[in-house]
């Protein structure tokens, strides 16, 4: 390439890191500079001197995106960068990051903490895309080849330990015979309604219509960010009426924003406390979340309800977009019958 009669030669990066298509794009950018009367050597030198480090760009990207995330994701996103990424490549200029850098920082954790490693790879890709959009990188950077240099993870996914559904009725008898506590009541509601722990722990009285036997959880509290309406079985309503009566005895009038399950009326009961209710019943290896799996197994093996009804009861999303577009019903009446049968199975009447 020539500029004002002088021949200029440029390296576009190692062939194993820079795909042919990307090299052609870089060459095109250089030709545009020459046609515009600019010296590519000078221009690229000026750009590189002023380019920020990867860590600087990562923090700017984080601040730009964090507004749409849950608090916990905000914390994990930045902490993973600080622990695994910034020490390795944080001080390098953002334009100097290549696939081999990413490979080197992922290699030690790829098999030890595979889920975290995959999230880190995605986050680095997002940061580099952000740098490209902001004009800091002339071309998009692809990290697809990084995983080809990492060993395949052959470990099978492990599911959260769940109590066999046939054992839950006896467990509930034992649980209900214990002293009444906030943790015990929370765990009972979780089992009777098959909700996630967070959905029960953070519930407020304004979400419940006990006369209609309905629990309406707003979208902001749901994992999939969609509202979820739960039909309450008679035992669930009875449990909630007792808890409400206890609150009324203390406060007179129960506010709509008051938490059902809290020790100080300000913060929800912790996940550790709910798990403690399991441990107090000598259940040492199972998880609270596992009761949702128990409910799924019971529905599949002991009832004739379609899988779609059970999925809706669990507030699972429909993975197929076309199917989701056509399936508008929430199966509410069928779910009411299902939850009543589940409660009758768990707490059979003498």
């Amino acid at each position: 390439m020539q500029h004002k009669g002088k021949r200029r030669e440029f390296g576009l990066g190692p062939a194993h890191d820079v795909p042919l298509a990307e090299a052609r794009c870089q060459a095109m950018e250089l030709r545009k500079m020459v046609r515009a009367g600019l010296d590519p050597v000078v221009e690229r030198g000026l750009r590189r001197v002023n380019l920020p480090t990867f860590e600087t760009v990562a923090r700017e990207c984080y601040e730009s995106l964090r507004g749409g995330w849950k608090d916990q994701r905000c914390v994990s996103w930045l902490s993973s960068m600080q622990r695994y990424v910034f020490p390795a490549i944080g001080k390098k200029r953002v334009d100097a990051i290549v696939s081999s850098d990413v490979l080197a920082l992922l290699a030690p954790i790829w098999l030890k903490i595979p889920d975290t490693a995959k999230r880190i790879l995605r986050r680095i890709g997002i940061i580099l895309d952000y740098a490209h959009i902001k004009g800091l990188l002339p071309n998009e950077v692809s990290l697809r080849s990084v995983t080809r240099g990492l060993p395949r993870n052959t470990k099978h996914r492990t599911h959260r330990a769940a109590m066999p559904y046939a054992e839950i009725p006896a467990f509930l008898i034992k649980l209900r015979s214990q002293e009444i506590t906030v943790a015990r009541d929370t765990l009972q509601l979780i089992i009777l309604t098959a909700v996630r722990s967070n959905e029960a722990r953070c519930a407020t009285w304004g979400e419940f219509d006990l006369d209609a036997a309905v629990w309406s959880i707003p979208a902001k509290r749901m994992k999939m960010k969609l509202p979820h309406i739960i039909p309450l079985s008679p035992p669930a309503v009875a449990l909630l009426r007792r808890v409400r009566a206890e609150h009324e005895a203390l406060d007179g009038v129960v506010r709509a924003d008051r938490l059902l399950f809290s020790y100080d009326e300000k913060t929800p009961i912790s996940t550790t406390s709910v798990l403690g209710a399991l441990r107090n019943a000598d259940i040492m290896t199972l998880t609270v979340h596992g009761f949702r799996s128990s409910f799924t197994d019971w529905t599949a093996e002991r009832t004739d309800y379609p899988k779609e009804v059970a999925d809706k009861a669990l507030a699972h999303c429909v993975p197929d977009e076309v199917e989701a577009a056509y399936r508008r019903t929430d199966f509410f009446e069928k779910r009411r019958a299902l939850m009543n049968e589940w409660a009758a199975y768990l707490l059979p009447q003498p």
Side-chain angles (χ1 to χ4, degrees):
M1 185 177 298
Q2 290 190 351
H3 174 70
K4 294 182 179 181
K6 293 184 179 180
R7 183 174 180 81
R8 298 292 200 185
E9 294 184 357
F10 297 91
L12 303 179
H16 61 274
D17 279 335
V18 183
L20 181 58
E22 183 179 332
R24 287 171 175 164
C25 288
Q26 290 189 43
M28 187 180 300
E29 291 294 327
L30 294 172
R31 294 190 189 99
K32 287 181 181 178
M33 289 183 189
V34 172
R35 288 196 294 269
L38 302 173
D39 185 344
V41 172
V42 174
E43 293 298 318
R44 293 182 79 187
L46 289 174
R47 288 185 183 181
R48 288 184 174 181
V49 167
N50 297 321
L51 282 178
T53 64
F54 178 86
E55 180 174 347
T56 298
V57 177
R59 292 185 181 276
E60 290 179 2
C61 177
Y62 168 77
E63 292 298 332
S64 176
L65 299 178
R66 66 179 298 185
W69 296 341
K70 295 180 180 179
D71 291 342
Q72 187 58 41
R73 185 177 177 188
C74 286
V75 173
S76 66
W77 202 97
L78 192 57
S79 65
S80 67
M81 291 289 116
Q82 293 170 332
R83 182 171 183 180
Y84 300 107
V85 181
F86 293 162
I89 62 174
K91 302 305 179 186
K92 295 187 70 171
R93 281 199 324 263
V94 68
D95 68 318
I97 305 301
V98 294
S99 299
S100 57
D101 296 324
V102 181
L103 175 66
L105 72 88
L106 289 178
I109 63 173
W110 188 252
L111 294 180
K112 293 181 180 178
I113 45 174
D115 290 339
T116 299
K118 290 173 184 176
R119 282 194 291 269
I120 289 172
L121 178 59
R122 287 196 299 270
R123 289 166 184 171
I124 293 174
I126 291 170
I127 293 165
L128 294 178
D129 286 345
Y130 175 84
H132 172 62
I133 292 170
K134 291 296 183 178
L136 302 175
L137 299 177
N139 304 295
E140 293 186 49
V141 178
S142 173
L143 299 178
R144 287 178 297 180
S145 61
V146 170
T147 55
R148 296 173 186 170
L150 295 165
R152 182 180 178 184
N153 191 331
T154 58
K155 291 184 179 179
H156 296 291
R157 182 179 294 273
T158 57
H159 299 283
R160 300 187 188 186
M163 181 179 294
Y165 66 82
E167 298 178 9
I168 301 180
F171 166 72
L172 270 181
I173 292 174
K174 183 175 182 180
L175 183 68
R176 288 158 67 91
S177 68
Q178 296 178 358
E179 178 186 0
I180 294 176
T181 64
V182 176
R184 193 200 76 160
D185 289 344
T186 310
L187 183 57
Q188 282 192 80
L189 186 65
I190 289 171
I191 296 172
L192 288 168
T193 57
V195 298
R196 298 178 180 89
S197 177
N198 287 345
E199 294 158 10
R201 292 190 309 104
C202 301
T204 59
W205 284 115
E207 297 172 2
F208 293 86
D209 183 342
L210 297 185
D211 292 332
V214 171
W215 178 9
S216 302
I217 307 178
K220 64 182 180 181
R221 290 216 307 107
M222 295 300 298
K223 180 179 180 180
M224 306 311 300
K225 298 306 178 186
L226 294 171
H228 185 43
I229 301 176
I230 302 171
L232 298 170
S233 63
V237 172
L239 168 66
L240 292 167
R241 287 194 185 280
R242 178 181 59 74
V243 174
R244 186 178 181 88
E246 292 170 357
H247 288 191
E248 289 175 342
L250 291 173
D251 304 333
V253 177
V254 179
R255 302 187 316 275
D257 63 349
R258 174 166 179 175
L259 293 163
L260 273 68
F261 306 116
S262 171
Y263 292 116
D264 59 8
E265 299 185 23
K266 297 178 181 178
T267 55
I269 184 176
S270 68
T271 53
T272 303
S273 295
V274 180
L275 183 60
L278 261 182
R279 301 297 180 252
N280 290 339
D282 298 324
I283 307 298
M284 309 308 295
T285 59
L286 305 182
T287 65
V288 174
H289 192 84
F291 286 105
R292 285 166 59 84
S293 297
S294 306
F295 170 78
T296 301
D297 292 343
W298 172 83
T299 304
E301 296 184 14
R302 298 290 296 270
T303 77
D304 295 324
Y305 289 94
K307 181 178 182 297
E308 292 83 357
V309 176
D311 285 342
K312 201 67 179 181
L314 294 167
H316 284 165
C317 67
V318 179
D320 185 276
E321 293 184 4
V322 175
E323 182 182 355
Y326 283 95
R327 190 200 295 172
R328 302 295 179 88
T329 179
D330 65 357
F331 302 108
F332 184 79
E333 293 305 325
K334 288 186 177 180
R335 286 193 291 119
R336 182 176 288 285
L338 173 61
M339 300 315 294
N340 287 346
E341 289 186 28
W342 172 239
Y345 172 77
L346 297 175
L347 300 168
Q349 296 299 314

